[in-house]
Every structure is written in structure tokens, then in C-alpha cells.
Amino acid sequence: MGRLEIDRLRKTFGRGGDKVEAVSELSLSVADGELLVLVGPSGCGKSTTLNCIAGLESVTEGEVVIDGEVVTEKRPEDRDIAMVFQNYALYPHMTAAGNLEFGLKMTTDLSAANRRERVESTAELLDIGELLDKKPKSLSGGQKQRVALGRAIIRDPAVFLMDEPLSNLDASLRSTMRTEIQQLQDDLDVTTVYVTHDQTEAMTMADRIAIMYEGELQQVGQPLECYYRPRNKFVAEFIGEPAMNMLRVTRRGDQFVADGFEYPVPERADGLPSGEPFTLGVRPGAIDIVEPETGVATGTVEVVEPLGETSHAHLNIADTTVTVTTDGPGSVEEGTQVDIDFPAQRAHLFDAGSGVAVARRDGLPGDQTESYPNPRYD
Ligand SMILES: Nc1ncnc2c1ncn2[C@@H]1O[C@H](COP(=O)(O)OP(=O)(O)OP(=O)(O)O)[C@@H](O)[C@H]1O
Ligand SMILES: [Mg+2]
């Protein structure tokens, strides 16, 4: 069992004029066996949150609760959690086996034979049997990270905490390890909070993601829910690659207008006041290039980035850059003019001041008749 609750967590560093509020009023529940990914840009308070859960930082206000028990004042070793760090934090003078065994020695009264058994079964699980006698300095980054994972798993904790465990690995190893951690977490069924600033990692691994910005929680939900129904402009821009295009528009009657752009107000946005400014968001993959004179805007293709199957075309529409995901080579030419359009369902609208989403779409694709491209690509 490992249900984790964070209740109105606040953490400030320093005092007086130097005071930094790293985490503000953060409340989150992580279900037993769930993989929650905490994601956000550098400095948004992810590590601080994780350290407060682990007990490595004291909290300023709020509670951390594991399986109904308030652990806020407990020492890290009394919390039934295990943590994996970006820099592995292995003991350099111990072999991989020694590193795996160390936590067991400290926190359990298992016999040496039982400990050895646990080391071996964990090593088998992670496929690091042949590394057991090696010291960290003779291991590669990926191998060190496996040993670090092993050291956490072996303790069979109620909650796993991982702080950017894959950031030091190269791109291809990172994607392999991503899948492995996900499978491992699923097999072991351990409640996990996984911190990353990488939205792809968050989207692909998480049962739910929690998006933070400047110490505040912006949205919690299933990855595709956050992708298709972002609660605010920050989430909309943070999730999805390349980022959602944002256009400053004003409602004029039944159109949203901007320089060089006119878009019919979607039905669900009918209630929004005329004469007011809004931000209209649309993802690069939602935009179609259409026949001349039939689009909602005409843009000049400034740059085309070929990716193979698709390209990213950056258009200039009255001095605003709009990125469009197009078909591969030859579909658009730099320097030409193209017309664009996109389905009303895929237009996002945000309050121009607060950035809060207004007139959000209902439901997610799947219950729609339109076909949607692979959201990981979009
Ligand atoms: N020990 C500390 N003393 C003072 N300020 C701190 C301390 N630790 C973190 N902070 C500040 O708290 C804020 C949140 O930091 P935190 O390390 O939690 O961010 P993060 O989301 O993990 O960022 P990153 O992605 O760069 O690791 C930052 O403004 C940081 O400068
Ligand atoms: Mg951090």
C-alpha cells in the first residue's frame, strides 16, 4: 500500500527580502500504485516538493500523509520511501552489490543470506547481475542509474520518489530507460512520484501529470486530458511539441480577428463578450494548409524544418509566427504564401489577462467524429 497525500504544502527559503516561496499551497493525492509525474520548467519547485515528501527538507506549512499517517515531522528513514536522484548518488567505495545491500542493512534486520537473496533477485529484475562486483567508477551512466534504481527497489518502499533520474543519459538510452522504468513501476505496482522538466517524458510515462509553474500547481490530470483540455495558457504552451501557437485576437461579432487573421467564433464560445481581447491557441499539428483564398489567414513560409515524415513550417502572419506541422518534403516551400485553416474543435481560447481557459472543448478525441493525428507528434 502507498497512498500519498500532500495537503496545502508551502515551502519558503530564506527570510526577509531574500525570501523565496518555492512551493505554494500545493495539494495532491497520489493513488496506490499510481505513477504521477511532476513536471514544469526549471525552478518551479519540483525538487523542493519531492524533498519535502522525502523529509529531506522541512515544510513551512502543510502536511505529507502516507497511507493515512501524517509523516511531516518524521525523519526520511522513517517514512517508508525510497528516492532516486539525477546524479545517482551511489557510494563510490562500494560495489554495485554493496550499494544495493546498504539500504537493507540500515533499515531492516534481515540476515546476510536474506539480504544476498534480495540483492540477487533485484539484480535479475534490472538485468545487472554481471555488474554486481563492479564499483561505480567502472559503470556507464545507464548502468549506474540501474544500480541506483535497484537500491531504491530493493527496499520495497510504500512510495518511490525519482528526481530527473534520466537527465544525465543520452537521448536513446533515456527513451529505453523511460520504458523500462514505466514497466518496472507497473510490475512492482509502487506508488511513484517522478520529477522531470521534460514534457515528453511526462506525457509518455505518467498515469497522471501534475504541472507546476512558479511554485503553484497549474493542472493535474491524465496526459491527454492536459493536452486536449489545458486549464490555462501556461499548460497549453508547456505540453506539446512544438508549442501551441498563440494569437492575440479580439472578438468582433461572430469572428475573432487579428491582423491578417479572421476566425469564426466556435459555437461553444458564443457566450464570450464582443469587443474583448482573447488569446486563441492552436497546435501546429491541428493546422491545415488549404487552397489559396479559402483559409482563415495567409502567411509567408519563412523557415521549413524537415523531420522526415513531417516538417515544421514557420509562417509569418502579419508579424506573428505560426508553426504548422506539414507533410514531409515538398509539401511547402520557403518564401511562398500559403493559406491555413483549422477545425473549431481544436481552437483553444484563453482569457487575455489571466490566461485561464475559457469555452473549453468538451470531452477528448475518440468520442469525436474528426480524426486526430498522433498527439505525441502534434
Ligand atoms: N536550499 C535553497 N535555498 C534557497 N532557495 C532554494 C533552495 N532550494 C531551492 N530554492 C529555490 O526554490 C525554487 C524552486 O527550486 P527547485 O529546486 O525546487 O526547482 P526545480 O523545479 O526542481 O528546478 P530544476 O528543474 O532546475 O531542478 C527556486 O527558485 C530555487 O532557487
Ligand atoms: Mg530540480
Side-chain angles (χ1 to χ4, degrees):
M1 280 293 286
R3 184 181 160 74
L4 170 69
E5 276 156 275
I6 304 163
D7 186 25
R8 282 164 291 169
L9 175 69
R10 198 161 74 82
K11 175 65 185 177
T12 56
F13 290 108
R15 41 186 81 209
D18 291 335
K19 200 153 121 178
V20 178
E21 180 140 315
V23 181
S24 314
E25 288 274 321
L26 178 79
S27 294
L28 264 179
S29 294
V30 190
D32 189 29
E34 185 177 23
L35 172 55
L36 181 107
V37 176
L38 201 54
V39 67
S42 186
C44 72
K46 305 179 295 292
S47 296
T48 305
T49 302
L50 213 62
N51 292 341
C52 288
I53 300 170
L56 301 174
E57 293 281 6
S58 62
V59 311
T60 307
E61 262 175 54
E63 303 283 17
V64 177
V65 183
I66 298 176
D67 280 336
E69 187 193 358
V70 177
V71 298
T72 322
E73 301 300 326
K74 283 195 161 184
R75 293 179 307 171
E77 56 270 35
D78 297 332
R79 291 192 184 197
D80 203 8
I81 50 121
M83 195 153 168
V84 180
F85 301 90
Q86 176 179 349
N87 61 7
Y88 321 126
L90 297 174
Y91 300 108
H93 58 286
M94 289 184 196
T95 61
N99 268 282
L100 290 181
E101 195 184 354
F102 186 74
L104 287 182
K105 258 190 198 158
M106 292 294 112
T107 57
T108 67
D109 46 17
L110 290 175
S111 69
N114 283 342
R115 290 200 304 264
R116 188 72 211 174
E117 221 168 83
R118 290 269 281 270
V119 168
E120 274 161 17
S121 63
T122 304
E124 195 178 325
L125 192 67
L126 288 162
D127 203 14
I128 51 172
E130 72 284 12
L131 307 178
L132 285 178
D133 296 328
K134 296 193 173 176
K135 291 202 172 154
K137 69 172 184 309
S138 57
L139 300 176
S140 72
Q143 291 169 333
K144 279 185 210 159
Q145 196 50 280
R146 253 172 235 268
V147 175
L149 273 174
R151 194 175 52 177
I153 291 168
I154 200 168
R155 292 181 38 206
D156 192 19
V159 179
F160 249 167
L161 304 175
M162 305 197 194
D163 194 351
E164 312 241 10
L166 306 182
S167 305
N168 286 1
L169 307 179
D170 68 47
S172 94
L173 193 54
R174 207 156 59 215
S175 94
T176 316
M177 288 289 285
R178 193 161 80 200
T179 316
E180 274 188 34
I181 291 185
Q182 208 179 348
Q183 267 165 6
L184 197 65
Q185 194 275 341
D186 207 33
D187 291 346
L188 299 173
D189 211 20
V190 191
T191 310
T192 302
V193 182
Y194 183 106
V195 161
T196 179
H197 62 268
D198 179 347
Q199 59 93 23
T200 312
E201 228 165 85
M203 288 293 283
T204 52
M205 293 180 77
D207 292 324
R208 284 185 311 152
I209 54 182
I211 300 140
M212 284 181 80
Y213 179 57
E214 294 188 340
E216 290 182 10
L217 189 61
Q218 305 293 311
Q219 185 164 2
V220 196
Q222 290 171 6
L224 291 183
E225 185 184 339
C226 298
Y227 181 89
Y228 283 108
R229 303 189 70 227
R231 271 184 55 198
N232 60 33
K233 187 166 168 272
F234 177 81
V235 173
E237 283 185 293
F238 189 77
I239 301 289
E241 166 64 24
M244 186 185 283
N245 295 294
M246 295 292 175
L247 297 156
R248 292 282 289 196
V249 297
T250 304
R251 178 165 185 182
R252 301 252 177 257
D254 57 4
Q255 302 282 322
F256 286 116
V257 299
D259 273 355
F261 177 83
E262 224 176 68
Y263 194 79
V265 173
E267 208 177 308
R268 72 193 135 87
D270 252 358
L272 299 177
S274 196
E276 292 293 318
F278 295 95
T279 303
L280 188 150
V282 60
R283 296 199 185 275
I287 301 176
D288 298 312
I289 296 203
V290 296
E291 293 296 319
E293 311 286 321
T294 64
V296 294
T298 306
T300 307
V301 181
E302 295 203 313
V303 178
V304 178
E305 297 169 334
L307 298 171
E309 296 285 315
T310 58
S311 298
H312 294 152
H314 302 288
L315 315 184
N316 180 331
I317 298 175
D319 286 336
T320 301
T321 300
V322 171
T323 302
V324 183
T325 306
T326 64
D327 291 341
S331 59
V332 278
E333 300 280 340
E334 283 177 12
T336 57
Q337 298 240 312
V338 293
D339 266 34
I340 59 161
D341 201 357
F342 49 91
Q345 198 41 276
R346 306 212 56 188
H348 296 259
L349 289 158
F350 307 96
D351 184 278
S354 68
V356 171
V358 290
R360 284 211 289 172
R361 61 178 294 165
D362 297 323
L364 300 180
D367 52 6
Q368 311 293 331
T369 48
E370 292 173 63
S371 67
Y372 285 85
N374 180 350
R376 286 179 196 172
Y377 231 96
D378 187 340

